[in-house]
Amino acid sequence: MLELKNIHKTFNPGTINEKVALNGVDLKVEEGDFITVIGGNGAGKSTMLNAVAGVWPVDEGSIEIDGNDVTGLPDYKRANLIGRVFQDPMTGTAATMEIEENLALAYRRGKKRTLRWGITHKEKQLFREKLEILQLGLEDRMTAKVGLLSGGQRQALTLLMATLVKPKILLLDEHTAALDPKTAEKVLTATEKVVQKDNLTTLMITHNMKDAITHGNRLIMMNEGRVILDIKGEEKKNLTVEDLLHQFSVTSGEEFASDKALLG
Ligand SMILES: Nc1ncnc2c1ncn2[C@@H]1O[C@H](COP(=O)(O)OP(=O)(O)OP(=O)(O)O)[C@@H](O)[C@H]1O
Ligand SMILES: [Mg+2]
């Protein structure tokens, strides 16, 4: 479903701010894979997701989504293949619009984006069913303005919007990191349901090693712009946080540097 081959990306090349962010990333993602992505600060996790989304051109390597080479495509030309949710609950939804209006805009993605004809009964029915999956009671508040929702509710709604038209790949960049632990747990549960229901191919960055172990069928660890661990199947099920910390220091020769991961 997604294949990254030898991806390199250096920011500000030739200046004192030069930074090699991706240094030969190889990753083959199968259809239906739910991959959690961990790694220390600055390891290149967000940069890898940005490369997939086409935020800027990569320096070297190729990116295929669902058999199509998208390496040279700008972000807006691959946006219809990708769903994204970021850390900030304030982005991704329109605060002054109603829940159902936000969903309608997302649903008409790729089509003419207008609400001039209103939202049809059939659409409302679909939105209600989708909102029920989240189990946050939003299906009974479909005409509430999104600005009235909590951060967690907004993140869950953003997730729904990103997946309402099934994307080839769903990219989640620490989408629960700005939420309190209880709310984060709820949004993660909702994420799990949405991903399972549509068998979405997903890459989820998290700072929380426990979450990375609990969720998904596969876990990768990044360090210094490369994938240094790729664990799946039974091996993943039996992982512990201690294993991961140990594997990290063995593979990278360093201590895992992320307080959030250790405290999480
Ligand atoms: N647009 C940019 N311009 C310059 N440098 C960048 C840019 N984006 C990322 N970098 C640098 O590339 C490196 C990798 O950053 P990236 O954001 O991918 O790390 P990360 O693994 O997501 O870390 P974190 O856990 O802190 O989010 C870092 O050194 C970062 O400062
Ligand atoms: Mg990041």
Side-chain angles (χ1 to χ4, degrees):
M1 188 50 85
L2 170 71
E3 188 162 14
L4 304 181
K5 280 190 199 149
N6 193 32
I7 298 296
H8 287 257
K9 180 69 187 180
T10 299
F11 290 107
N12 309 311
T15 74
I16 51 162
N17 292 320
E18 180 171 295
K19 176 73 208 175
V20 179
L22 297 179
N23 194 12
V25 170
D26 288 301
L27 183 67
K28 193 171 177 183
V29 180
E30 306 296 340
E31 185 166 6
D33 265 351
F34 181 176
I35 303 182
T36 55
V37 184
I38 57 172
N41 296 120
K45 304 179 298 292
S46 296
T47 305
M48 178 175 76
L49 262 54
N50 284 334
V52 173
V55 175
W56 22 248
V58 296
D59 302 332
E60 205 186 316
S62 67
I63 303 170
E64 261 187 30
I65 300 176
D66 196 23
N68 302 304
D69 189 334
V70 298
T71 316
L73 289 187
D75 54 357
Y76 67 91
K77 283 199 177 160
R78 43 177 123 162
N80 59 335
L81 305 173
I82 294 164
R84 297 196 82 173
V85 185
F86 299 94
Q87 188 169 335
D88 185 354
M90 297 308 135
T91 61
T93 47
T96 58
M97 294 173 69
E98 299 172 358
I99 291 178
E100 62 180 24
E101 290 173 336
N102 270 273
L103 286 165
L105 280 181
Y107 189 53
R108 294 167 195 188
R109 187 156 89 130
K111 302 173 200 149
K112 249 195 217 153
R113 282 204 195 211
T114 167
L115 295 176
R116 209 181 329 151
W117 300 289
I119 302 164
T120 65
H121 180 70
K122 228 178 110 188
E123 284 174 329
K124 285 187 195 203
Q125 198 62 35
L126 173 77
F127 300 161
R128 171 175 287 278
E129 281 164 23
K130 294 283 182 180
L131 287 164
E132 277 168 0
I133 300 169
L134 301 178
Q135 294 191 332
L136 295 172
L138 295 180
E139 62 276 13
D140 298 322
R141 303 176 61 187
M142 282 175 43
T143 55
K145 294 266 195 288
V146 166
L148 298 174
L149 302 181
S150 71
Q153 289 168 332
R154 273 182 86 156
Q155 279 304 70
L157 181 62
T158 306
L159 174 75
L160 216 55
M161 290 170 65
T163 57
L164 203 49
V165 178
K166 186 179 177 178
K168 298 292 178 193
I169 182 118
L170 174 63
L171 306 175
L172 307 172
D173 193 344
E174 299 195 49
H175 70 308
T176 63
L179 307 171
D180 65 82
K182 236 173 136 180
T183 311
E185 191 56 47
K186 275 191 187 166
V187 173
L188 264 183
T189 305
T191 304
E192 186 75 46
K193 288 196 177 116
V194 169
V195 167
Q196 298 297 341
K197 186 119 183 134
D198 275 340
N199 192 32
L200 297 171
T201 309
T202 304
L203 284 169
M204 180 176 90
I205 300 176
T206 173
H207 261 104
N208 186 315
M209 290 215 180
K210 262 208 329 259
D211 289 341
I213 290 170
T214 313
H215 299 278
N217 66 315
R218 195 172 155 192
L219 178 151
I220 63 175
M221 185 183 272
M222 291 189 70
N223 188 48
E224 294 179 350
R226 283 204 190 92
V227 175
I228 59 164
L229 276 178
D230 187 346
I231 301 167
K232 40 195 138 180
E234 284 305 307
E235 196 189 345
K236 173 163 184 302
K237 283 185 198 143
N238 299 325
L239 267 180
T240 64
V241 172
E242 289 70 34
D243 288 339
L244 277 181
L245 292 174
H246 178 69
Q247 296 230 41
F248 180 83
S249 60
V250 168
T251 320
S252 72
E254 299 160 30
E255 289 291 308
F256 188 83
S258 172
D259 293 345
K260 270 199 273 173
L262 301 178
L263 297 173

